[in-house]
Amino acid sequence: MKNKKALFHIVKREALPWYQAWLIRGCAILLALLMCSLVTIIVTGLNPLALYKTMFYGTFGTNRKTWVLFQKLAILLGISLAVTPAFKMRFWNIGAEGQVIVGGLACAAVMITLSETIKSNTVMLLLMLVVSVAAGALWGFLPAFFKAHWNTNETLFTLMMNYIAIQLAAYFIIIWEVPKGSGKIGIINQKTRLGWLPYLGGKQYAIIVLLVAILTILIFIYLKYSKQGYEISVVGESERTAKYAGIKVERVIIRTMVLSGALCGFMGMLLVGGTDHSLSTELVGGRGFTAVMVSWLAKFNPIVMILTSFLLVFMQLGAKEVATNFYLNESFSEILTGIILFFIIGCEFFITYKIQFAKSGKEA
Amino acid sequence: MEAVKNAVRMEGITKRFGNVVANNAINLELHEGEILSLLGENGSGKTTLMNMLSGIYYPDEGQIYIHDKPVTIASPKDAFDNGIGMIHQHFKLVDVFTATENIILGLNEEGKMNLKEAGKRIKEISQKYGFDIDPEQKVYNMSVSQKQTVEIVKVLYRGADILILDEPTAVLTPQETDKLFAVMRNMQKDGKSLIIITHKLHEVLEVSDRVAILRKGEYIGDVLTKNADQQSLTDMMVGRAVSLNIDRPMPVDPQPRLEVKGLTVYDELGVKRLNDITFTAYSGEILGIAGVAGSGQRELLEAISGLYPIAEGSIIYHNPKTNQTGDMAGKDPLEIQKSGISMAFVPEDRLGMGLVGSMGMTGNMMLRSWRKKKGIFLDKKEPERVANAVWKELEVVTPSVDFPVRRMSGGNVQKVLVGREIAQDPAVLMTAYAVRGLDINTSYTIYNLLTAEKMKGVAVIYVGEDLDVLLELCDRLLVLCGGQVSGVVDARTTDKRQVGVLMTRVGGKNNEK
């Protein structure tokens, strides 16, 4: 019989001081950049430093580019904030995409169908807000209700709701298409600018950035200091503990998903009323899913989510720049994003666990 | 008598989990072609020991010999290579597969997967030993006993000649048990060696040739079954009374606090878990609840605290502040809290039910008090004060009151939980296995806390597994067996043997001399 023995054990760490944890994370990012450089040299033969520089230029190069960065960052962060309460509750809601779209659809519906009746921009904006939030909330309520009462699988349910939302949007786009036969809605209310979010200081995106900044703080406070936030944490940790503490789990699930959906609907309104001024099925463009990653990477901390969403948006915008300047495929930058994410997520393992190598010759 | 050959010999086996010694220098032999019963109370280390034989755990010290050859068993595959097969208490089967598919799963036989051939071999095995099995049947259509049969055939199919059965009868009806024993004897005739883990004495006497007894991780000894009877086995299993010197003052002015009448509950599968339970818990006393694991202790406490659906019966609470009485059966925990019943509950599953693992002490103290403050925001000051008080008074080892309790050691986790429950100033305090896995010092801290609560006039209900502790800490003992009350005894005048008999048989009173 061969004498087999495990080479190493994986052992859970005692608490790690915060600076050591951040040291590990820093090392991970450094390693990731090294790895990216290596891959760049091997695959493209380009100077990685030049590549990084171009990426940086792509995001901060001009005033316009910086504002685009801010806008994209704000939208992604906003959607991430919206999904966070549900995920903190361990409710696997991957329906943010659809919730944002129905919010946008509802917003566009108000802007288009009521453009003749309502003349006041304030009334219009308020109506858009109410309708978008309600539509998103409904999209969040349905899967939660079924989950709470019949324990349906929320992942599949929310995923399916995405398709319904996208198909609904596609249907109404054809009805409202301008000009006829184009299959598109052009810019809504281009002349009257009715229902367009106001420009702050002449900047189109400033109001979005401001609103999302406020939202970040509100969600942070909600999760950390409110009773409902506490209930969410307890339900997410263990439903049995929640019941033991007298928390009505079903009610918390529904309430939280309605909140998540409502916030998504709100983001849909910001997209339609604030940036696109139009509606397409590509309105959200996968950000409903990216948001899940942003939220998880930040461990549901809204403040850290600013960093994680920045990282993803930076890589995405940098990628475009690299693609045009070096005639590379945009996929190459996605490879780099993948490498960086791999290292960042992977290093969490070393923060929670340590590896102990077996001492040899202990047994007969 | 010719010299016996050993199928298994375990020499000086020690296994520790943190500070807890689960097995201490154990020597165990299994002779070829015998049925050995491994007997012991809950937590005596039976399953741990067998898990080392089947490759799930790896011993810290000691050596295992199979057929007198030293071996290293580092994985279930090693165990299987040595012809050892274990049938676990919880079946490990794929529900949507047939019996055959489950049996050949993971075998990696050469050539193409041949279900027909496998089915034929399974039929052969079944006929040989008298199993009743349909190779084509899907697991989700099977009864518990059929699933167990699949597990046993799976092990035999892989050519095991040493079989370990971990409490196989716990899930079986008496008729199914008889069938299982018949099969076990057939296997024995075929030269297989078997170990059966159990704590049911009459089964031990019925099926085994020899009995080995463990107690609190120590090997106590072995006897030939023909030389043993229930009483001698109970004595070996529970041991002599050990004096623990737990301070036990007499109850002062006991008044009925909680009257449970005719309580009956069913689990989600419709199995009766509590059957007509009736007892009264008095203020100022510790009522111990004894019984082998799974006799309904968990269901009883959860039913009282509103976490388990009650089919029949009432739970009358006497409020000491208002002198009012009320039935709390059927109320959920929130309603119980709101109706002014101050009840504390230290559940068995500390991190899964009593605490929120990712939160610190403060967050966990909040679990009982967060609703009190008006408005939408949390009050952190009061819980923080309680957390600091518990931290200091119970000497919890933690870097701060915000350190996640999940990362504390078991003893400290329990201090946080017990500390919080006591801080509520309860009228009824229920604890389930409050000292399980704790070291001696922490255990005594808990005993003293419970006694102090009792002297404050709290009705304490203590579910325990260590009879020595139950007999020295509690004032009265309620003994459960199979979801029924098999006796209520005075802990001061009863001895372990009497309790042991009550624990293993309903109506044990009739067996007393």
Side-chain angles (χ1 to χ4, degrees):
Chain A
M1 180 79 205
K2 271 186 296 173
N3 220 342
K4 280 181 286 184
K5 212 174 167 209
L7 259 179
F8 57 83
H9 283 300
I10 293 164
V11 188
K12 215 163 186 163
R13 276 185 200 271
E14 296 292 304
L16 209 59
W18 62 270
Y19 57 89
Q20 271 187 24
W22 280 102
L23 199 73
I24 291 179
R25 289 191 186 110
C27 288
I29 291 180
L30 271 182
L31 278 174
L33 288 178
L34 266 174
M35 189 71 188
C36 287
S37 309
L38 221 71
V39 171
T40 310
I41 294 169
I42 292 169
V43 176
T44 66
L46 294 167
N47 177 0
L49 285 179
L51 199 76
Y52 292 152
K53 206 174 138 192
T54 311
M55 289 179 88
F56 194 79
Y57 176 81
T59 43
F60 293 110
T62 64
N63 213 354
R64 167 83 196 154
K65 279 182 172 145
T66 311
W67 271 109
V68 169
L69 170 81
F70 277 148
Q71 178 260 337
K72 292 216 181 282
L73 175 65
I75 296 292
L76 181 62
L77 177 60
I79 301 175
S80 310
L81 289 167
V83 302
T84 298
F87 272 95
K88 195 153 187 202
M89 198 175 62
R90 298 290 190 273
F91 184 99
W92 311 115
N93 166 30
I94 54 169
E97 191 86 2
Q99 289 152 20
V100 177
I101 283 220
V102 290
L105 174 64
C107 176
V110 171
M111 286 167 78
I112 293 170
T113 57
L114 299 179
S115 62
E116 303 295 321
T117 23
I118 296 175
K119 294 294 166 221
S120 153
N121 204 28
T122 320
V123 174
M124 188 59 149
L125 285 175
L126 276 177
L127 203 63
M128 280 157 57
L129 177 73
V130 170
V131 173
S132 311
V133 166
L138 176 71
W139 240 245
F141 168 79
L142 288 175
F145 181 79
F146 280 79
K147 167 81 179 180
H149 290 277
W150 297 291
N151 198 25
T152 51
N153 182 312
E154 72 268 25
T155 314
L156 285 175
F157 205 123
T158 49
L159 187 68
M160 291 305 155
M161 294 290 283
N162 287 341
Y163 297 119
I164 299 175
I166 290 172
Q167 292 310 318
L168 269 180
Y171 176 78
F172 281 103
I173 286 169
I174 299 299
I175 289 184
W176 296 324
E177 65 185 352
V178 179
K180 283 284 165 212
S182 68
K184 271 190 254 173
I185 298 180
I187 303 294
I188 305 171
N189 301 344
Q190 193 160 17
K191 286 197 188 112
T192 56
R193 293 201 163 191
L194 190 62
W196 288 27
L197 292 184
Y199 287 20
L200 292 185
K203 301 287 180 209
Q204 186 192 349
Y205 301 137
I207 186 158
I208 296 178
V209 174
L210 181 73
L211 287 173
V212 171
I214 295 171
L215 189 63
T216 311
I217 296 165
L218 286 180
I219 292 288
F220 179 76
I221 293 173
Y222 177 74
L223 290 176
K224 195 156 182 204
Y225 296 105
S226 82
K227 286 183 177 177
Q228 297 193 356
Y230 183 74
E231 287 182 331
I232 290 173
S233 307
V234 176
V235 171
E237 182 79 21
S238 151
E239 281 192 21
R240 270 159 51 82
T241 305
K243 287 194 179 124
Y244 165 88
I247 293 171
K248 298 242 192 280
V249 175
E250 291 81 15
R251 198 190 291 168
V252 175
I253 289 178
I254 292 175
R255 187 184 67 205
T256 308
M257 264 313 285
V258 166
L259 174 74
S260 262
L263 291 175
C264 281
F266 175 68
M267 292 314 293
M269 186 203 96
L270 291 190
L271 272 172
V272 172
T275 58
D276 288 22
H277 304 134
S278 181
L279 178 69
S280 79
T281 49
E282 283 302 301
L283 178 76
V284 197
R287 282 179 280 192
F289 300 104
T290 315
V292 176
M293 195 154 64
V294 170
S295 184
W296 267 95
L297 272 177
K299 291 183 182 160
F300 314 125
N301 182 332
I303 308 297
V304 182
M305 273 157 57
I306 301 175
L307 287 178
T308 50
S309 49
F310 170 77
L311 176 78
L312 290 173
V313 172
F314 174 82
M315 292 303 290
Q316 187 202 355
L317 291 176
K320 270 195 188 139
E321 194 70 18
V322 168
T324 38
N325 280 16
F326 292 99
Y327 310 107
L328 286 178
N329 195 315
E330 263 186 57
S331 310
F332 184 69
S333 148
E334 273 161 30
I335 295 177
L336 297 190
T337 313
I339 293 174
I340 293 181
L341 287 179
F342 178 83
F343 275 85
I344 290 178
I345 298 170
C347 83
E348 295 299 318
F349 176 84
F350 294 94
I351 291 172
T352 326
Y353 301 96
K354 62 183 169 190
I355 291 180
Q356 257 177 7
F357 290 92
K359 292 167 208 134
S360 50
K362 201 180 144 197
E363 37 150 5
Chain B
M1 204 166 94
E2 59 181 310
V4 282
K5 279 190 183 162
N6 283 330
V8 177
R9 188 152 65 85
M10 301 178 89
E11 212 178 71
I13 299 287
T14 297
K15 179 76 188 171
R16 297 182 198 87
F17 295 107
N19 294 328
V20 181
V21 183
N23 285 152
N24 188 16
I26 290 191
N27 300 310
L28 182 83
E29 286 172 4
L30 170 67
H31 304 161
E32 280 180 12
E34 78 166 346
I35 300 181
L36 174 74
S37 281
L38 194 56
L39 183 66
E41 288 182 285
N42 303 115
S44 55
K46 301 172 301 227
T47 302
T48 307
L49 188 66
M50 289 302 109
N51 276 343
M52 283 188 277
L53 208 50
S54 61
I56 293 177
Y57 295 145
Y58 190 79
D60 295 336
E61 286 161 33
Q63 180 63 50
I64 297 172
Y65 300 86
I66 303 294
H67 299 297
D68 289 322
K69 268 182 261 149
V71 294
T72 304
I73 301 175
S75 72
K77 190 171 176 305
D78 292 351
F80 162 52
D81 290 342
N82 281 301
I84 300 169
M86 182 156 170
I87 291 96
H88 295 272
Q89 223 173 336
H90 303 283
F91 306 135
K92 296 163 164 57
L93 296 171
V94 182
D95 266 355
V96 294
F97 281 8
T98 63
T100 309
E101 286 165 336
N102 264 290
I103 287 164
I104 61 169
L105 185 71
L107 263 183
N108 269 332
E109 281 174 324
E110 302 233 333
K112 260 170 83 185
M113 185 166 96
N114 191 340
L115 282 176
K116 262 198 194 139
E117 194 56 38
K120 244 165 87 192
R121 267 189 64 197
I122 291 166
K123 281 225 172 93
E124 278 169 30
I125 294 174
S126 308
Q127 274 163 12
K128 189 167 170 193
Y129 298 111
F131 290 112
D132 186 14
I133 188 174
D134 171 10
E136 303 300 322
Q137 198 177 0
K138 301 260 190 198
V139 169
Y140 61 78
N141 282 330
M142 291 184 182
S143 71
V144 177
S145 142
Q146 284 172 312
K147 287 182 195 173
Q148 188 179 56
T149 307
V150 175
E151 287 280 10
I152 299 174
V153 174
K154 184 161 92 183
V155 163
L156 292 170
Y157 188 92
R158 286 158 198 235
D161 65 346
I162 300 164
L163 280 89
I164 307 163
L165 296 106
D166 189 358
E167 297 198 22
T169 60
V171 291
L172 300 182
T173 63
Q175 292 77 18
E176 289 168 339
T177 305
D178 288 342
K179 241 191 200 166
L180 174 70
F181 286 173
V183 168
M184 285 174 67
R185 289 195 197 95
N186 286 339
M187 291 194 274
Q188 180 187 21
K189 270 182 216 140
D190 192 45
K192 312 262 182 210
S193 321
L194 293 100
I195 299 179
I196 170 170
I197 302 181
T198 180
H199 46 224
K200 293 185 188 163
L201 295 176
H202 60 279
E203 290 177 355
V204 170
L205 293 169
E206 191 185 331
V207 76
S208 61
D209 303 313
R210 203 159 56 89
V211 190
I213 292 124
L214 295 187
R215 190 198 313 146
K216 292 178 188 168
E218 307 273 349
Y219 185 75
I220 300 305
D222 69 318
V223 282
L224 290 174
T225 310
K226 57 180 184 221
N227 300 334
D229 60 24
Q230 290 222 0
Q231 197 56 64
S232 66
L233 289 177
T234 310
D235 288 351
M236 286 180 84
M237 186 163 90
V238 297
R240 257 184 212 157
V242 187
S243 181
L244 299 163
N245 289 319
I246 300 172
D247 183 31
R248 176 168 56 183
M250 286 302 285
V252 182
D253 184 28
Q255 297 290 331
R257 178 65 52 83
L258 205 61
E259 280 178 75
V260 175
K261 285 181 195 159
L263 188 66
T264 302
V265 307
Y266 298 86
D267 65 14
E268 59 258 30
L269 298 173
V271 179
K272 211 180 232 183
R273 288 293 169 193
L274 291 178
N275 186 0
D276 196 18
I277 302 274
T278 299
F279 69 92
T280 305
Y282 293 88
S283 64
E285 73 157 13
I286 300 184
L287 173 69
I289 296 181
V292 294
S295 303
Q297 296 96 321
R298 181 176 74 87
E299 288 83 357
L300 178 60
L301 296 197
E302 290 190 3
I304 293 175
S305 44
L307 293 163
Y308 207 97
I310 293 170
E312 276 168 59
S314 60
I315 301 161
I316 310 292
Y317 174 77
H318 298 257
N319 194 327
K321 283 177 191 143
T322 59
N323 274 327
Q324 280 171 336
T325 58
D327 188 357
M328 46 189 261
K331 287 185 178 169
D332 67 25
L334 182 59
E335 288 163 347
I336 292 175
Q337 234 176 56
K338 280 188 175 159
S339 58
I341 298 170
S342 53
M343 198 161 50
F345 178 26
V346 177
E348 174 183 357
D349 185 358
R350 293 163 199 167
L351 286 170
M353 185 167 191
L355 297 167
V356 185
S358 60
M359 293 184 187
M361 283 178 74
T362 307
N364 274 295
M365 295 303 148
M366 233 182 261
L367 210 55
R368 284 295 193 192
S369 63
W370 59 283
R371 232 186 278 276
K372 283 180 189 146
K373 196 191 155 200
K374 290 221 164 64
I376 59 164
F377 288 107
L378 289 170
D379 171 25
K380 289 208 174 171
K381 288 222 179 80
E382 177 58 18
E384 206 169 277
R385 191 192 61 74
V386 178
N388 275 306
V390 171
W391 188 12
K392 229 172 264 159
E393 278 163 33
L394 301 189
E395 295 167 343
V396 180
V397 181
T398 177
S400 85
V401 289
D402 294 318
F403 185 72
V405 292
R406 178 182 290 135
R407 303 175 87 176
M408 296 181 183
S409 73
N412 289 305
V413 167
Q414 184 68 332
K415 281 179 183 176
V416 174
L417 180 52
V418 173
R420 181 190 71 205
E421 291 304 295
I422 288 176
Q424 289 188 71
D425 217 358
V428 178
L429 169 61
M430 300 190 287
T431 65
Y433 309 107
V435 297
R436 181 182 282 172
L438 306 191
D439 61 40
I440 299 287
N441 280 329
T442 318
S443 299
Y444 273 89
T445 309
I446 304 280
Y447 302 147
N448 292 338
L449 283 170
L450 295 182
T451 304
E453 286 304 296
K454 156 183 152 182
M455 294 320 285
K456 276 197 231 159
V458 176
V460 181
I461 298 177
Y462 177 91
V463 172
E465 48 200 345
D466 187 327
L467 286 182
D468 289 315
V469 174
L470 279 163
L471 285 168
E472 282 208 35
L473 173 72
C474 304
D475 300 295
R476 287 187 308 139
L477 283 188
L478 175 82
V479 188
L480 290 179
C481 180
Q484 283 176 276
V485 177
S486 60
V488 180
V489 292
D490 181 345
R492 286 185 174 77
T493 56
T494 313
D495 66 19
K496 263 174 137 171
R497 290 168 59 172
Q498 287 167 299
V499 180
V501 171
L502 286 172
M503 276 167 61
T504 43
R505 196 164 269 189
V506 179
K509 268 183 180 157
N510 306 337
N511 295 346
E512 279 178 44
K513 287 156 236 162

